[in-house]
Amino acid sequence: MKHVIRLRAAMASLALTAVLLAPDVSPATAAPLSAAPDVRGACTATTPGSTLARQGAARTCVKDRAVTAEDLARIRARTAAVPGGAAVPVGTAATRDDVDPGDDPAAGPEALCTSKKRQDVVANRHAYCMRHAIVYLLENRAGDTIGTAELLVTARSAVDPKSVTWQENIAVFAGKYDGVSAMRLALSSSCTACIPGPPAWGGGAIELRAGEEDQSGHLFYETTTRGGGERSRSMIAYQSQTESPDAEYPVIGYGQWAGPSVACDGQVGSTPGCIATDSLATVVLSKSQYGASAVAYEWAQNNLSNNNAMGTAKRPLTRDSDKPRAKSRSYYTCKAPPKPFVADLTVVNDECDEFPFARTRQGGTLGSLCAEIIPRYVGGGVWRVDVVRDEPAAPCIRAHVSSDVNQNAGRSVGRQVQTERILQGEAYQVLITP
């Protein structure tokens, strides 16, 4: 059950309007236009003679608490109930029970919400989920709690790397209520280096009783970053207003907290766009799609010495988009004497495929120092790698790969540089999947 309503009391309505129209105003200083409230930290005095006051409540307080296992269980139950809500790409870490979705670079926003990490915001490069628990308290003059209501707010978003706008889907879960029959929540947001949209629920408030939930809220953002080599980071903050409708003079409690940061740039490709975090970028190549090239890169990561196994999370590659330098690196690895690459007659349209890539700062090692291999397909998804030349402590490989396979893999890396928004000089890892 859920209801989107307007705050009934005139004082509450004015307070809501004041804060929502000025989201950067601190809740401690935002006051109803009729009178400044008696604020004690995160607490606001009740109106003398009101129902709450007669019940012994001297003040209402809004506090935060950490996300609990019970919260996560409820989020997971809701996610599982949504068709496709918990789905993640096949072969990613989140499909394994022993890996937390917060450690999966491909997990979607729904999966990130279920992460067991003890933090408000869980994110990867393309998605995030904010989880925040609000505790509404009624306290007597002695400071004892005589009423409690708990709300869990989540905001989840998948950020489009080719767009300057993004949307958060808001979910609110009503938890334990004691001495409070219902709670109302209004939610807005503010951000740096971006333009926030209107408050959730059109500036109104939702009303929830114990155990109920609401999935209808949305918040919108647009970065001010466009082209021309710009880059910015948008820091999102949330502002909440809570009240219990149990009294004829409801008292609004104000809260605010920090949310995710979204990095946007106009430096990669022809279209500006955004990523959710600056976590290590990942370029994914499957052996089923990119065949000998993907097998060669995987062999390099598994067989070169520990100091030379590049393209991993521990030793990532560094993007260098300069075309003349890339051409020079390719020459040194594949064509330079004393041991230039020589096509193998057993490989159709044989072409030199190098790893590390020429468009990385780690590429360009003289080919005579590289190990040289021929990946061969055996059948049934099985590959064999023949070592043509085994150089001790080789820092690189040259692989005999068909021209079309080599070029397809190169184009995929180029596309993913854009979708991952990997900046010039930024590190990334290469992940090989089945």
Side-chain angles (χ1 to χ4, degrees), residues 94-165:
T95 61
R96 304 195 336 248
D97 293 337
D98 61 331
V99 176
D100 189 280
D103 296 320
D104 178 11
E110 296 281 357
L112 291 173
C113 285
T114 68
S115 170
K116 295 179 182 179
K117 291 181 179 293
R118 300 301 294 269
Q119 55 198 52
D120 269 13
V121 179
V122 183
N124 56 36
R125 201 142 174 117
H126 297 293
Y128 65 80
C129 178
M130 181 281 299
R131 299 96 50 97
H132 187 79
I134 300 173
V135 182
Y136 178 90
L137 302 172
L138 299 177
E139 291 186 354
N140 62 20
R141 294 190 178 279
D144 301 322
T145 299
I146 60 174
T148 305
E150 297 186 358
L151 297 174
L152 176 66
V153 181
T154 69
R156 56 199 187 277
S157 180
V159 180
D160 187 343
K162 294 184 179 181
S163 175
V164 296
T165 64

Side-chain angles (χ1 to χ4, degrees), residues 56-225:
R59 54 191 162 268
T60 64
C61 304
V62 177
K63 299 181 179 180
D64 304 328
R65 67 160 172 76
V67 175
T68 65
E70 290 78 8
D71 293 332
L72 296 179
R74 189 167 183 188
I75 293 173
R76 279 192 287 270
R78 172 63 190 180
T79 300
V82 177
V88 295
V90 175
T92 64
T95 61
R96 304 195 336 248
D97 293 337
D98 61 331
V99 176
D100 189 280
D103 296 320
D104 178 11
E110 296 281 357
L112 291 173
C113 285
T114 68
S115 170
K116 295 179 182 179
K117 291 181 179 293
R118 300 301 294 269
Q119 55 198 52
D120 269 13
V121 179
V122 183
N124 56 36
R125 201 142 174 117
H126 297 293
Y128 65 80
C129 178
M130 181 281 299
R131 299 96 50 97
H132 187 79
I134 300 173
V135 182
Y136 178 90
L137 302 172
L138 299 177
E139 291 186 354
N140 62 20
R141 294 190 178 279
D144 301 322
T145 299
I146 60 174
T148 305
E150 297 186 358
L151 297 174
L152 176 66
V153 181
T154 69
R156 56 199 187 277
S157 180
V159 180
D160 187 343
K162 294 184 179 181
S163 175
V164 296
T165 64
W166 67 97
Q167 170 185 307
E168 290 179 345
N169 296 320
I170 308 299
V172 184
F173 303 89
K176 300 175 182 178
Y177 283 30
D178 182 10
V180 177
S181 67
M183 283 300 302
R184 292 174 183 159
L185 172 70
L187 183 69
S188 62
S189 63
S190 58
C191 62
T192 62
C194 77
I195 305 169
W201 307 292
I206 55 170
E207 182 173 308
L208 296 173
R209 297 183 180 276
E212 294 181 341
E213 59 189 55
D214 183 284
Q215 299 273 340
S216 65
H218 302 283
L219 291 170
F220 302 89
Y221 306 90
E222 179 177 356
T223 179
T224 56
T225 298

Side-chain angles (χ1 to χ4, degrees), residues 43-65:
C43 300
T44 304
T46 57
T47 303
S50 66
T51 302
L52 289 178
R54 291 195 300 271
Q55 292 174 348
R59 54 191 162 268
T60 64
C61 304
V62 177
K63 299 181 179 180
D64 304 328
R65 67 160 172 76

